[in-house]
Amino acid sequence: MGTTERMTFSKAINAGLRRTLETDPKVILMGEDIGTLGGVFRVTDGLQKDFGADRVVDTPLAESGIVGTAIGLALRGYRPVLEIQFDGFIFPAFNQITTQLAKLSYRSRGRLSAPVVIRVPYGGAIGAIEHHSESPEVLFAHTAGLRVVSPASPADAFVMIQQAVASPDPVLFFEPKARYWDKGEVDVAITVTADAVASALADGVATDPAGVVALDRARVARAGTDLTIAAYGATVSTALKAAESAAAAGVSVEVVDLRSISPLDAETLIASVRRTGRCVVVHEAPVFYGTGGEIAARVTEACFYELEAPVLRVGGFHTPYPVNKLEATYLPGLDRILDAVDRAMAY
Amino acid sequence: MLCASAPPARRRHDVSPTGHATDVDLVQLLTPGGQLLAHPDYTPRIAHLDAAARRGLYRDMVLVRRFDNEATSLQRQGELGLWVQSLGQEAAQIGSGRALRPNDYVFPSYREHGVAHTRGVDLADILRLFRGVEHGGGWDPAEHNFHLYTLVIAAHTLHATGYAMGLQRDGLVGSGDPERDAAVVVYFGDGATSQGDLNESLVFAAVNNAPIVFFCQNNQWAISEPTTKQARIPLARRGDGFGIPNVRVDGNDVLATYAVTAQALERARSGGGPTFIEAFTYRMGAHTTSDDPTRYRSAAEDEYWRQRDPIERMRLLLEGAGELSPAFAAELEADATALAERVRATVKGLGRPPTGTMFDHVYGAPHAIVDSERAWLAEYEASFLDGAAAEGGSH
Ligand SMILES: Cc1ncc(C[n+]2csc(CCOP(=O)(O)OP(=O)(O)O)c2C)c(N)n1
């Protein structure tokens, strides 16, 4: 422990992938343009050069093919880690992910498993064109059999990608692309093993033996006493900024970084709301039928008597992700989060 | 007129630095040096192209390239979020586009600016998408028989096939009336041939004998992946397993792409069914302005293709035949400059759309959630002006 290096979010995932390639010979990376180019976001930069084209595979341009063949490779004991180039291009693989990958364990009564990781750069705020800024996480969270996670910081990205690869289950690993260039301290001494992940998940403990937060657990990213903001991925750092502004106005905001969207660490969240009495959920995905609805219902059910205000949601609208000239309005920014904080405090 | 003294038809076994060694003939009517070649099937297809028509093809290519270069600099200057160049693919697009009749219908992918030009789409409108003020494109597909751009690779190939099946059901195929009959052309890249959607399109088109031309622009790269990452055989042979005839054409030869497309369209319109065309060409620019091709391709390869520039070889033909007067060249140059200036001015004039437009056309009929969210946002935004707090609702 204690060997920290400052690096970008994308570099942290790269370092985490590198660690898994070094420690587990069964890990193979697959995707479009991930080899020579290092991926369109350069997340896999240099990995093909160091591990060879058999471990870091440039695949044909076929998402259904990528996921479908990964299932077969996983059945042979490999641990495929796939890159889907952009959120909007996961849908050709939707069938393979939801009808096949998600159900292998269940259908085989646990005799088969497919520990496939699917990395998806997701979310907006990079000024992209259509289909390059979507937040489809809830479609996968709604499918039983998949784990859905999203890191919010470089340090966590480094750990979580290793945890995802080590997980015995298929994991949808949503990478907030707006954060790829953010820098942070990363403890590069941490190596996550499959045993540690499996035992933490099986025992339901909050930290695994390496002392890191377990893959299915949330983390309090900032302590506060008046209100809890639940966020994940790109919105965590926006929520932290909102908490700072709120503090200047005398409101103490606690920020819970969910990390895992499925399962949802209701325990950590509920404990926080019991302390603060108020909850605002923030995500980029549309509010309508979104993650926030699930959280609001759970928090309300568990904290009905402690709540001082209804659980409020801040997120995208029920429109397709808009043109980039309007995305600043569509995305939950500081203003809308603080507005929700004010409304919750006013009850 | 085409010279009767053209050399005899030759089998071309061209291999690009990235491409496949090929045993499939490459149809070529115009050499990189600007020499005409005779081809028993295809020369008759261009026999009617007089000097004015050939100058027209040249003019189209020059205008589209100027537009493309202008869009690239607009992106570099921060006026566009992204630009997808068609640089180097002008012959494939103009030749095939000019072979279409008004009734024919085009399904482009996202790089078909040259084809758009042949369909009368204002090139400036294309930039609305890349400026980030509109999705899909700023043109009316029905007005130009030119569908919206599609960004999800190969998804539109199925739409094109279905549209062709619709033409067939509507009695617009093989009616014997050339004014009535119509066909569909769908454009896609070499990478797209790997997608399930394209393969399913080929199945549907074949079993339905649909009036469709699959026009694959093999520009050698799918972002950083060479064609050899998608296929072990020349892409034109993709049609074989589906029972669809193939043609492989020199995509940098505007006369050849015109001829093979004209023939395939006629076949489709008359009830002869689908054709798969592989236009062997090269993407001379980056994949998009976000891409860095120096990471994956060599200077030697660039040079190989620079010598096969589609515009240059047409210029050599016209000059050699004395069909390119200095006056025409000067007028074309002036037109290209005027186009570039107009495009620049139009793009810079495209402001931020009103936020409320975000909620327009999500549905064709009112939807309670969209309506309430629209109202909430309007009130919320107004609250910044009059200082009042927004009431209720989530967002
Ligand atoms: C389904 C899908 N997957 C991935 C992408 C990302 N992507 C955009 S263009 C491209 C390469 C396309 O290559 P090709 O089909 O050869 O066409 P080209 O751009 O070279 O004309 C990729 C992978 C996408 N748009 N859609």
Side-chain angles (χ1 to χ4, degrees), chain B residues 59-391:
Chain B
R59 181 186 149 85
D60 284 337
M61 292 195 290
V62 169
L63 290 179
V64 167
R65 183 168 291 185
R66 179 63 70 87
F67 160 75
D68 201 341
N69 289 336
E70 189 65 18
T72 304
S73 34
L74 281 167
Q75 195 282 334
R76 294 276 176 256
Q77 291 156 13
E79 300 289 342
L80 301 175
L82 181 81
W83 179 237
V84 181
Q85 285 185 283
S86 57
L87 187 71
Q89 299 180 220
E90 293 89 352
Q93 299 195 6
I94 297 299
S96 60
R98 285 295 176 207
L100 292 155
R101 294 219 192 110
N103 283 355
D104 297 327
Y105 200 94
V106 175
F107 283 84
S109 80
Y110 47 74
R111 202 188 285 285
E112 278 66 65
H113 321 312
V115 187
H117 169 71
T118 68
R119 301 306 280 172
V121 172
D122 183 356
L123 291 172
D125 280 341
I126 291 173
L127 301 183
R128 302 172 72 86
L129 192 158
F130 298 96
R131 174 104 165 152
V133 299
E134 202 162 335
H135 276 333
W139 61 89
D140 177 356
E143 191 182 317
H144 302 281
N145 275 10
F146 186 77
H147 191 63
L148 304 175
Y149 277 3
T150 299
L151 297 174
V152 180
I153 300 288
H156 64 301
T157 59
L158 283 163
H159 315 155
T161 305
Y163 195 95
M165 289 157 61
L167 290 175
Q168 202 175 28
R169 282 162 187 268
D170 291 344
L172 297 172
V173 178
S175 74
D177 177 358
E179 296 306 311
R180 249 174 89 80
D181 290 343
V184 170
V185 185
V186 60
Y187 289 87
F188 51 90
D190 41 300
T193 63
S194 294
Q195 287 285 350
D197 277 1
L198 176 62
N199 289 275
E200 294 183 24
S201 300
L202 294 169
V203 170
F204 275 75
V207 300
N208 290 292
N209 205 41
I212 180 167
V213 177
F214 292 93
F215 195 95
C216 174
Q217 287 174 87
N218 176 2
N219 66 10
Q220 314 300 323
W221 292 97
I223 310 188
S224 71
E225 300 192 0
T227 316
T228 45
K229 289 276 174 207
Q230 317 290 340
R232 295 287 297 270
I233 56 163
L235 290 177
R237 294 211 337 232
R238 275 289 153 96
D240 286 346
F242 298 91
I244 293 178
N246 303 308
V247 187
R248 192 155 191 262
V249 61
D250 183 336
N252 285 14
D253 171 353
V254 72
L255 298 176
T257 58
Y258 176 91
V260 301
T261 312
Q263 174 142 321
L265 281 167
E266 189 173 292
R267 202 168 150 262
R269 290 190 207 105
S270 63
T275 304
F276 188 106
I277 296 174
E278 176 194 0
F280 199 74
T281 181
Y282 190 67
R283 181 244 288 160
M284 289 169 85
H287 169 70
T288 68
T289 44
S290 303
D291 178 38
D292 173 13
T294 61
R295 281 185 163 242
Y296 54 81
R297 78 183 184 199
S298 68
E301 183 189 328
D302 277 356
E303 190 46 35
Y304 171 93
W305 284 99
R306 215 174 295 286
Q307 285 165 16
R308 284 155 183 77
D309 189 305
I311 297 185
E312 183 59 11
R313 73 169 79 173
M314 196 59 180
R315 190 181 66 77
L316 290 171
L317 171 74
L318 293 174
E319 268 184 5
E323 294 172 359
L324 194 69
S325 69
F328 175 83
E331 195 185 318
L332 177 54
E333 174 59 26
D335 287 352
T337 304
L339 171 69
E341 281 168 4
R342 185 176 63 77
V343 163
R344 171 170 292 264
T346 309
V347 165
K348 288 189 151 189
L350 292 173
R352 183 180 188 268
T355 40
T357 57
M358 195 159 74
F359 300 95
D360 292 345
H361 309 298
V362 181
Y363 295 93
H367 182 287
I369 297 296
V370 175
D371 293 347
S372 68
E373 291 186 352
R374 181 207 295 271
W376 179 86
L377 182 62
E379 199 179 321
Y380 176 69
E381 293 204 313
S383 73
F384 285 96
L385 302 174
D386 61 22
E391 283 290 320

Side-chain angles (χ1 to χ4, degrees), chain A residues 317-336:
Chain A
F317 300 101
H318 187 60
T319 70
Y321 192 86
V323 293
N324 70 48
K325 293 279 188 238
L326 295 180
E327 68 178 343
T329 304
Y330 178 91
L331 291 168
L334 265 189
D335 281 340
R336 275 207 275 139

Side-chain angles (χ1 to χ4, degrees), chain A:
Chain A
M1 296 289 276
T3 335
T4 65
E5 276 175 34
R6 194 168 166 73
M7 62 177 83
T8 60
F9 200 109
S10 59
K11 184 73 191 147
I13 300 170
N14 180 286
L17 288 170
R18 177 176 289 276
R19 185 65 49 83
T20 68
L21 284 160
E22 281 163 358
T23 50
D24 185 348
K26 291 294 190 183
V27 169
I28 35 177
L29 312 192
M30 295 164 59
E32 296 158 10
D33 303 293
I34 67 167
T36 323
L37 190 66
V40 293
F41 289 106
R42 309 288 184 263
V43 174
T44 55
D45 198 14
L47 297 179
Q48 188 182 67
K49 193 168 115 295
D50 295 346
F51 294 93
D54 279 349
R55 305 275 318 272
V56 181
V57 183
D58 269 333
T59 64
L61 208 179
E63 288 76 10
S64 179
I66 294 170
V67 176
T69 56
I71 293 173
L73 282 157
L75 289 171
R76 288 292 310 170
Y78 288 91
R79 285 190 175 257
V81 183
L82 317 179
E83 175 174 298
I84 296 293
Q85 203 157 78
F86 276 93
D87 34 49
F89 307 138
I90 199 167
F91 297 104
F94 195 72
N95 171 48
Q96 286 291 342
I97 298 170
T98 56
T99 74
Q100 304 301 312
L101 184 59
K103 295 178 170 56
L104 212 59
S105 168
Y106 195 70
R107 292 171 60 223
S108 67
R109 303 205 114 323
R111 293 182 189 99
L112 302 176
S113 75
V116 174
V117 176
I118 306 180
R119 298 182 30 243
V120 192
Y122 84 121
I126 63 162
I129 55 174
E130 209 181 2
H131 310 305
H132 291 72
S133 300
E134 323 223 323
S135 297
E137 64 272 19
V138 78
L139 298 173
F140 299 98
H142 202 70
T143 301
L146 304 172
R147 291 181 186 272
V148 182
V149 304
S150 181
S153 68
D156 227 11
F158 176 72
V159 168
M160 284 175 73
I161 189 63
Q162 295 187 61
Q163 292 175 321
V165 177
S167 163
D169 295 317
V171 179
L172 271 291
F173 191 83
F174 281 98
E175 300 171 5
K177 63 174 93 83
R179 301 286 167 241
Y180 272 149
W181 302 277
D182 287 4
K183 283 193 170 173
E185 296 292 326
V186 173
D187 185 348
V188 291
I190 297 172
T191 297
V192 178
T193 65
D195 285 349
V197 170
S199 71
L201 291 175
D203 302 345
V205 294
T207 54
D208 81 4
V212 298
V213 181
L215 181 63
D216 57 351
R217 289 306 172 127
R219 198 163 52 97
V220 176
R222 175 191 171 113
T225 52
D226 298 331
L227 179 144
T228 300
I229 296 182
Y232 55 88
T235 54
V236 172
S237 72
T238 324
L240 288 168
K241 288 197 188 97
E244 243 167 68
S245 302
V251 178
S252 169
V253 171
E254 177 149 310
V255 176
V256 175
D257 170 7
L258 295 176
R259 297 174 85 251
S260 178
I261 299 157
S262 175
L264 186 70
D265 181 3
E267 203 182 310
T268 299
L269 186 58
I270 286 164
S272 171
V273 178
R274 289 219 163 103
R275 285 195 294 273
T276 63
R278 292 180 176 85
C279 182
V280 171
V281 192
V282 183
H283 52 63
E284 291 190 11
V287 163
F288 188 47
Y289 283 118
T291 326
E294 176 63 34
I295 292 173
R298 276 181 193 268
V299 168
T300 305
E301 199 174 320
C303 309
F304 188 70
Y305 294 105
E306 287 98 337
L307 280 171
E308 309 272 353
V311 180
L312 299 180
R313 293 168 290 166
V314 185
F317 300 101
H318 187 60
T319 70
Y321 192 86
V323 293
N324 70 48
K325 293 279 188 238
L326 295 180
E327 68 178 343
T329 304
Y330 178 91
L331 291 168
L334 265 189
D335 281 340
R336 275 207 275 139
I337 296 174
L338 288 171
D339 171 70
V341 168
D342 288 347
R343 279 189 284 135
M345 294 306 296
Y347 274 90

